[in-house]
Amino acid sequence: FGIGFARMQSFCKALNAGYRDSNAFHNQVHAADVCYAMHVFILHSGVVEQRGLEPFHILAVLFGALVHDFRHPGVTNTFLITTADPLALTYNDRSVLENYHAAEAFKLMQHAQYNLLRALDGKQQRELRTLVVKLILSTDMAEHFGQVTELVSTAPKPEALLGGAAKGGLGGGAGGAAGAHIERDRVLAILMHTADISHPFRQLDAHVNFS
């Protein structure tokens, strides 16, 4: 993608500075944790093969994971909305923080030294931005139960599992495995949300460190 080490280093330094050390949870460590989780999903969930992911999509997923809480102020959407914070007014009370994180990440890349996408053509940049915004918006906890319902409604029935008809990982696959009918971008969005809240499933010492 023609990013280059120097530009990647500059971007990472600026990104790191944009995460507040004072945040007990939404900080640089959390961003790294979510990026790591998405990397594991890419390698082991089957989504690459079953959803036909190209390197372009993987770039979007890992970039989205790194920036998904960029410049987090340390308060919730509910707090911002209740207090009529300027951010809530700007984003009309809808996924306030998530819209803010996405906007700030792309504003950062308006500076040439931080622009990881400069080698992509205009069409590719627009497509990547569209996917990254979808991924970041999916981390709004207000979307959690809708995502759970969506997955449960597509899960294979017990008899299908016993009969060996359902195969495949999180990406879906033959026999009606969970998520089989869900479009690629939606599967990636659900995986992003899963990565965002995945640390309780780690071993206890890792869970404590990440929380």
Side-chain angles (χ1 to χ4, degrees):
F1 296 105
I3 294 173
F5 177 79
R7 183 170 292 107
M8 186 68 187
Q9 186 179 50
S10 296
F11 173 80
C12 287
K13 286 181 178 179
L15 187 69
N16 184 70
Y19 277 97
R20 297 187 183 184
D21 293 328
S22 58
N23 283 350
F25 181 77
H26 295 103
N27 52 36
Q28 303 95 325
V29 175
H30 173 63
D33 176 43
V34 174
C35 187
Y36 169 75
M38 285 304 298
H39 181 247
V40 171
F41 290 158
I42 288 168
L43 291 179
H44 301 294
S45 73
V47 69
V48 173
E49 298 80 12
Q50 295 159 7
R51 284 296 182 269
L53 298 193
E54 301 291 340
F56 175 85
H57 302 115
I58 296 173
L59 172 64
V61 164
L62 296 180
F63 174 77
L66 284 175
V67 305
H68 82 281
D69 274 333
F70 186 53
R71 301 197 192 284
H72 199 294
V75 296
T76 65
N77 281 334
T78 300
F79 177 86
L80 295 172
I81 294 167
T82 302
T83 58
D85 187 271
L87 282 179
L89 299 179
T90 297
Y91 297 111
N92 297 313
D93 298 346
R94 296 184 178 182
S95 299
V96 177
L97 287 170
E98 292 73 25
N99 276 299
Y100 173 62
H101 302 320
E104 289 299 303
F106 282 97
K107 285 179 184 177
L108 177 65
M109 290 200 300
Q110 288 184 326
H111 301 277
Q113 68 269 36
Y114 306 137
N115 187 0
L116 303 184
L117 311 180
R118 63 181 300 173
L120 302 181
D121 62 35
K123 181 175 182 292
Q124 289 176 318
Q125 290 191 30
R126 289 190 297 274
E127 289 178 353
L128 187 139
R129 172 173 158 76
T130 296
L131 177 54
V132 169
V133 170
K134 285 182 181 178
L135 297 178
I136 295 176
L137 291 180
S138 75
T139 64
D140 185 352
M141 283 302 296
E143 303 295 324
H144 175 78
F145 291 105
Q147 293 179 3
V148 171
T149 299
E150 187 173 7
L151 285 178
V152 169
S153 68
T154 62
K157 299 296 187 290
E159 56 270 24
L161 289 173
L162 290 172
K167 297 179 181 179
L170 290 171
H181 82 286
I182 306 174
E183 65 167 352
R184 180 198 62 223
D185 290 1
R186 186 62 177 157
V187 169
L188 294 177
I190 292 173
L191 286 176
M192 181 69 77
H193 176 57
T194 304
D196 192 27
I197 58 176
S198 66
H199 64 88
F201 294 94
R202 310 288 174 81
Q203 292 185 353
L204 181 60
D205 57 343
H207 164 58
V208 170
N209 286 333
F210 284 126
S211 59

